């Protein structure tokens, strides 16, 4: 009896519109043999969505023929151009991919709406091989087509998108992919209509075609069992005709591990192996093992760190040792070239600044960052808090909104589960307490635990205050492993840095306390006394007094002040101090370290001595 999905797929194929459900994400896709589609893509600005709807606002790709939209990439059939075709990708301008459109053309800086992208490529499909079209991220909603055929629609601006395009590749080898990218903000989206970062639109991360054998290793997890440094645990999954009952070999030569498992009828196999005398991963010693998985003709190689993370009372135990998280928050943006970070160069620069600050930890706010960022954190020895953009006033009552949030969380975990650096999955930021929100967030917490029992779960909670008495008793805190919250004493609360040390904290939960944000704006180079807002001296005094105030919290085990570097934010429009930038960076948008950078750097030197005897 064919499954519903198979029936829908067949129906779609018959009327020319394949309803190609997105295949589950290839684990470690960039490690495959890939054809990169990065580079120049032709684009068409389409604020009226003229390339998607007819003049009666009916979607072309839902019509009887499925044709008529820009995704046909139509060309005149004869030289005298008798047909009416009101677009031409090949004669249109180009955008660089990866890259948001806002930072590539001044007329697109504030653009919110649809832009169509088109890329032609040559790929002659080989028998016995499978081909997956893979986008690192498209913000925010994407409709994707190959050779005029719809692959699917995806929502969520920060997680990978992948389609099996094997049956749709042209036998001639000449192909084209068209993307309708739409960064319009919507109240029921995730994030919702209101955020404090720039709404960078477009194909913002790498695009490539990954090639595999017909039966291939689609997924795997290789980590230590929860809180057990002597046991390697995980699973491997095959996909394709011959997935059932197949041997899969796991080799970690330097750890003396060579083990073979056999897949079940669904192509899946789990393992649990003794692993003695491992060199555990840590920020001080970021050891990565060469891991090799093979099955039939397929081989996948990865570099994986092995470590444990747990809490005990108010301690965070990394490999069984109490650890203090010397962190900083950061957005996925290179302040020197504003726009979404484009690749390893931008990302390495950001993490190098964090290391210079004395960090062993970063908060990748407020959405899934580039997979490359997690790999760099593995290499450079930085612990990571990774997060989904369940941010501020989400549509808590909307089921589709929850499903969207859960899909983004699942993709975040699927992509990052083998990265030793990732120790915290965060389900959101500063969401206003309420019954519907608690239900929504609690469901996300439980989903995260079901997907990954080897990491801590948290969120940036809300607090409330009576004068100088601050209380943290957000009911969501009961579900989390860490008590994390944002507090802005001295910036949004109170008016002078010298008052900050009067605040005291009553925290309901006996868990490690991580301050997920504090900070204040400073315009680099603006100098005045410590009571003058926007000056570097005000920010410096704010940090000095914040650190004094926070040190009085008994369970304090880390922090990620807001934020490493100034970043573009549409809400920040003061013509002198902001100019469309949030200036809470410890580093300015031109790369200058402000005075507060050195306050935090000295504090982290002290904490490193206290916890690591450095
Ligand atoms: C909030 C929020 C950040 C924002 C910051 C600010 O806590 O989490 O995304 O940028 O405060 O107001 O600068």
């Amino acid at each position: 009896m064919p499954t519903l999905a198979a029936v829908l797929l067949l129906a779609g194929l018959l009327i020319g519109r394949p309803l190609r459900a997105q295949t589950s994400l290839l684990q470690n896709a960039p490690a495959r043999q890939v054809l990169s589609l990065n580079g120049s893509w032709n684009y068409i600005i389409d604020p009226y969505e003229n390339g998607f709807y007819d003049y009666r606002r009916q979607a072309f790709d839902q019509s009887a023929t499925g044709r008529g939209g820009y995704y046909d990439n139509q060309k005149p059939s004869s030289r005298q151009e008798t047909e009416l075709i009101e677009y031409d990708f090949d004669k249109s301008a180009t955008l660089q991919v990866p890259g948001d459109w806002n930072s590539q053309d001044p007329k697109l800086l504030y653009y919110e709406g649809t832009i169509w992208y088109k890329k032609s490529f040559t790929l002659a499909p080989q028998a016995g091989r499978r081909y997956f079209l893979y986008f690192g991220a498209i913000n925010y909603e994407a409709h994707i087509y190959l050779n005029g055929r719809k692959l699917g629609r995806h929502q969520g601006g920060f997680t990978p998108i992948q389609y099996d395009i094997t049956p749709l590749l042209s036998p001639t080898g000449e192909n084209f992919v068209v993307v309708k990218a739409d960064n319009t903000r919507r109240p029921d989206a995730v994030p919702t209509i209101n955020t404090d970062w720039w709404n960078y639109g477009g194909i913002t991360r790498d695009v490539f075609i990954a090639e595999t054998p017909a039966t291939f290793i689609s997924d795997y997890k290789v980590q230590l069992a929860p809180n057990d440094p002597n046991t390697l645990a995980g699973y491997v999954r095959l996909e394709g005709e011959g997935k059932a009952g197949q041997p899969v070999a796991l080799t970690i030569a330097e750890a003396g591990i060579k083990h073979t498992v056999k897949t079940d009828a669904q192509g899946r196999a789990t393992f649990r192996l003794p692993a003695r005398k491992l060199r555990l991963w840590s920020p001080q010693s970021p050891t990565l093992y060469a891991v090799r998985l093979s099955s039939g003709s397929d081989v996948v190689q990865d570099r994986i760190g092995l470590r444990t993370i747990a809490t005990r009372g108010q301690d965070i135990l990394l490999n069984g040792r109490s650890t203090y998280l010397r962190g900083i928050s950061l957005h996925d943006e290179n302040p020197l070239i504003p726009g979404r970070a484009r690749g390893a160069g931008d990302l390495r620069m950001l993490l190098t600044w964090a290391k210079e600050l004395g960090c062993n930890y970063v908060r990748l706010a407020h959405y899934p960052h580039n997979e490359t960022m997690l790999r760099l954190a593995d290499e450079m020895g930085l612990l990571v808090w990774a997060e989904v953009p369940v941010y501020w006033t989400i549509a808590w009552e909307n089921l589709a909104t929850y499903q969207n949030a859960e899909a983004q969380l699942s993709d975040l975990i699927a992509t990052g589960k083998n990265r030793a650096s990732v120790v915290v999955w965060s389900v959101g930021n500063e969401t206003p307490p309420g019954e519907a929100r608690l239900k929504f967030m609690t469901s996300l917490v439980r989903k995260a635990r079901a997907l990954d029992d080897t990491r801590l779960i948290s969120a940036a909670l809300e607090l409330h205050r009576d004068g100088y008495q601050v209380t943290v008793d957000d009911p969501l805190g009961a579900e989390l492993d860490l008590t994390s919250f944002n507090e802005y004493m001295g910036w949004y609360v109170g008016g002078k840095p010298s008052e900050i040390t009067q605040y005291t904290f009553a925290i309901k939960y006996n868990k490690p306390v991580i301050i997920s944000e504090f900070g204040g704006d400073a315009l680099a180079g603006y100098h005045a006394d410590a009571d003058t807002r926007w000056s570097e001296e005000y920010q410096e005094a704010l940090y000095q007094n914040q650190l004094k105030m926070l040190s009085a919290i008994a369970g304090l085990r880390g922090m990620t002040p807001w934020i490493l570097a100034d970043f573009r934010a549409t809400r920040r429009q003061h013509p002198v101090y902001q100019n469309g930038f949030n200036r809470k960076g410890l580093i300015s948008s031109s790369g200058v370290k402000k005075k507060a950078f050195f306050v935090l750097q000295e504090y982290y030197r002290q904490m490193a001595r206290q916890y690591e005897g450095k």
Side-chain angles (χ1 to χ4, degrees):
M1 175 67 180
T3 62
L4 173 61
V7 169
L8 282 173
L9 187 56
L10 182 64
L13 283 168
L14 288 177
I15 54 174
R17 290 201 317 281
L19 302 171
R20 191 160 303 288
Q22 167 154 293
T23 39
S24 61
L25 292 171
L26 262 180
Q27 181 60 210
N28 193 10
R32 290 287 177 179
Q33 184 182 332
V34 300
L35 169 65
S36 173
L37 299 185
N38 287 351
S40 296
W41 289 52
N42 297 99
Y43 78 95
I44 297 171
I45 305 174
D46 189 11
Y48 281 62
E49 299 179 284
N50 185 51
F52 189 74
Y53 295 107
D54 65 18
Y55 76 118
R56 297 296 192 209
R57 200 76 181 163
Q58 297 303 303
F60 290 116
D61 68 12
Q62 300 306 308
S63 66
T65 64
R67 296 176 57 81
Y70 287 174
Y71 50 84
D72 292 340
N73 186 28
Q74 210 180 346
K75 298 281 176 264
S77 56
S78 62
R79 283 179 50 76
Q80 59 272 43
E81 298 205 6
T82 50
E83 292 139 290
L84 173 60
I85 301 171
E86 295 183 87
Y87 69 95
D88 185 328
F89 274 115
D90 294 335
K91 296 192 175 71
S92 298
T94 59
L95 282 171
Q96 288 309 301
V97 168
D100 61 275
W101 61 59
N102 313 72
S103 55
Q104 293 195 51
D105 183 324
K107 69 173 180 293
L108 298 177
L109 179 60
Y110 284 93
Y111 180 69
E112 292 194 343
T114 285
I115 282 189
W116 292 87
Y117 290 79
K118 191 276 290 183
K119 181 77 173 180
S120 298
F121 63 93
T122 301
L123 175 60
Q126 306 300 311
R129 304 294 287 175
R130 291 178 72 167
Y131 300 89
F132 296 89
L133 176 58
Y134 186 97
F135 295 84
I138 303 173
N139 189 43
Y140 167 82
E141 178 182 83
H143 292 258
I144 302 167
Y145 308 81
L146 182 77
N147 299 332
R149 309 285 284 279
K150 183 142 198 184
L151 297 178
R153 166 184 175 244
H154 181 273
Q155 286 183 309
F158 304 96
T159 46
I161 305 165
Q162 172 187 303
Y163 294 99
D164 180 351
I165 57 172
T166 312
L168 298 176
L169 285 167
S170 159
T172 68
E174 296 311 313
N175 303 278
F176 63 91
V177 58
V178 172
V179 173
K180 176 187 186 288
D182 178 1
N183 72 335
T184 304
R185 290 167 294 118
R186 292 183 171 84
D188 62 349
V190 179
T192 182
I193 203 159
N194 188 27
T195 69
D196 191 30
W197 65 81
W198 207 272
N199 179 30
Y200 290 116
I203 306 175
T204 55
R205 294 181 186 158
D206 290 339
V207 186
F208 53 82
I209 294 171
E211 182 180 333
T212 71
T215 298
F216 61 98
I217 298 164
S218 64
D219 194 12
Y220 55 86
K221 180 176 182 180
V222 178
Q223 288 283 284
L224 289 178
N227 218 8
D228 177 352
N230 301 312
T231 303
L232 197 70
Y235 66 82
V236 60
R237 176 192 294 279
L238 298 184
E239 275 189 32
E241 297 297 307
K243 67 184 178 185
Q246 289 302 312
V248 183
L250 165 66
T251 307
I252 310 178
E254 294 166 288
I257 290 174
K258 186 163 179 50
H259 182 75
T260 299
V261 291
K262 194 163 198 173
T263 58
D264 62 19
Q266 285 70 44
R268 194 170 188 276
T270 58
F271 55 83
R272 204 177 162 80
L273 313 169
R276 302 250 176 264
K277 296 191 182 50
L278 289 171
R279 292 195 312 280
L280 299 182
W281 185 95
S282 70
Q284 301 92 313
S285 170
T287 303
L288 298 177
Y289 282 97
V291 175
R292 185 178 189 277
L293 288 153
S294 59
S295 181
S297 62
D298 199 19
V299 176
V300 183
Q301 317 242 26
D302 204 340
R303 297 174 67 227
I304 295 179
L306 301 170
R307 53 105 191 95
T308 62
I309 189 76
T311 61
R312 184 178 59 208
Q314 295 194 307
D315 276 339
I316 297 175
L317 304 178
L318 175 66
N319 300 325
R321 278 190 61 186
S322 178
T323 296
Y324 186 93
L325 304 183
R326 309 188 305 271
I328 192 73
S329 295
L330 52 93
H331 266 299
D332 178 32
E333 173 169 331
N334 170 353
L336 304 184
I337 326 170
R340 281 282 159 252
R342 291 148 197 81
D346 287 346
L347 303 173
R348 190 179 292 277
M349 184 191 79
L350 294 172
L351 295 184
T352 303
W353 277 343
K355 295 285 277 188
E356 211 179 318
L357 182 57
C359 296
N360 63 357
Y361 171 58
V362 288
R363 178 185 180 198
L364 302 184
H366 286 292
Y367 37 73
H369 283 222
N370 196 316
E371 186 179 345
T372 305
M373 185 64 132
L374 304 183
R375 288 184 177 280
L376 285 173
D378 272 8
E379 270 175 49
M380 297 170 70
L382 284 159
L383 297 158
V384 166
W385 159 307
E387 188 163 283
V388 284
V390 178
Y391 180 99
W392 289 355
T393 52
I394 294 285
W396 308 114
E397 316 266 358
N398 183 319
L399 176 59
T401 302
Y402 175 77
Q403 290 166 334
N404 181 345
E406 189 175 88
Q408 293 189 44
L409 178 66
S410 302
D411 288 349
L412 169 70
I413 293 175
T415 308
K417 63 178 177 277
N418 287 309
R419 305 280 73 80
S421 52
V422 180
V423 289
V424 179
W425 300 122
S426 165
V427 295
N429 178 73
E430 285 191 355
T431 53
E435 197 180 324
R437 167 263 194 178
L438 184 59
K439 183 168 176 287
F440 189 108
M441 299 300 275
T442 301
S443 299
L444 283 182
V445 172
R446 290 178 182 160
K447 180 68 177 177
R449 292 196 191 288
L451 290 170
D452 184 355
D453 62 357
T454 65
R455 289 177 171 88
L456 307 179
I457 310 297
S458 193
L461 300 174
E462 289 285 84
L463 47 76
H464 53 92
R465 187 173 55 85
D466 178 7
Y468 288 123
Q469 175 62 45
V470 182
T471 302
V472 181
D473 59 2
D474 185 329
L476 179 59
E479 299 291 332
L480 304 176
D481 295 309
L482 304 171
T483 301
S484 307
F485 53 89
N486 303 344
E487 51 85 11
Y488 278 91
M489 307 316 167
W491 188 256
Y492 295 121
V493 176
K496 286 187 177 177
S498 52
E499 287 172 13
I500 290 173
T501 50
Q502 297 182 64
Y503 293 95
T504 56
F505 289 78
I507 298 172
K508 178 176 180 181
Y509 305 106
N510 179 35
K511 299 175 181 176
V513 175
I514 302 292
I515 310 299
S516 33
E517 284 180 38
F518 73 78
D521 287 63
L523 177 64
Y526 173 46
H527 296 289
D529 64 38
D531 288 342
T532 302
R533 269 185 197 272
W534 308 105
S535 72
E536 286 199 42
E537 286 69 20
Y538 186 106
Q539 188 190 46
E540 179 187 40
L542 182 147
Y543 268 72
Q544 285 162 341
N545 288 289
Q546 272 276 351
L547 294 172
K548 278 189 202 130
M549 170 187 75
L550 294 172
S551 301
I553 297 177
L556 182 70
R557 293 294 181 275
M559 56 177 67
T560 45
W562 193 258
I563 185 170
L564 178 67
D566 293 352
F567 62 96
R568 276 202 191 284
T570 323
R571 296 167 69 247
R572 308 297 178 169
Q573 292 302 341
H574 191 292
V576 174
Y577 302 116
Q578 295 176 319
N579 278 309
F581 281 87
N582 181 313
R583 298 282 186 203
K584 293 188 181 67
L586 292 175
I587 296 175
S588 75
S589 45
S590 51
V592 174
K593 294 180 181 67
K594 303 173 192 174
K595 295 177 84 170
F597 177 97
F598 304 99
V599 172
L600 188 62
Q601 186 184 53
E602 178 49 31
Y603 174 71
Y604 282 168
R605 279 199 195 103
Q606 292 165 22
M607 298 316 288
R609 277 196 294 272
Q610 182 178 329
Y611 275 81
E612 294 156 20
K614 268 183 176 173

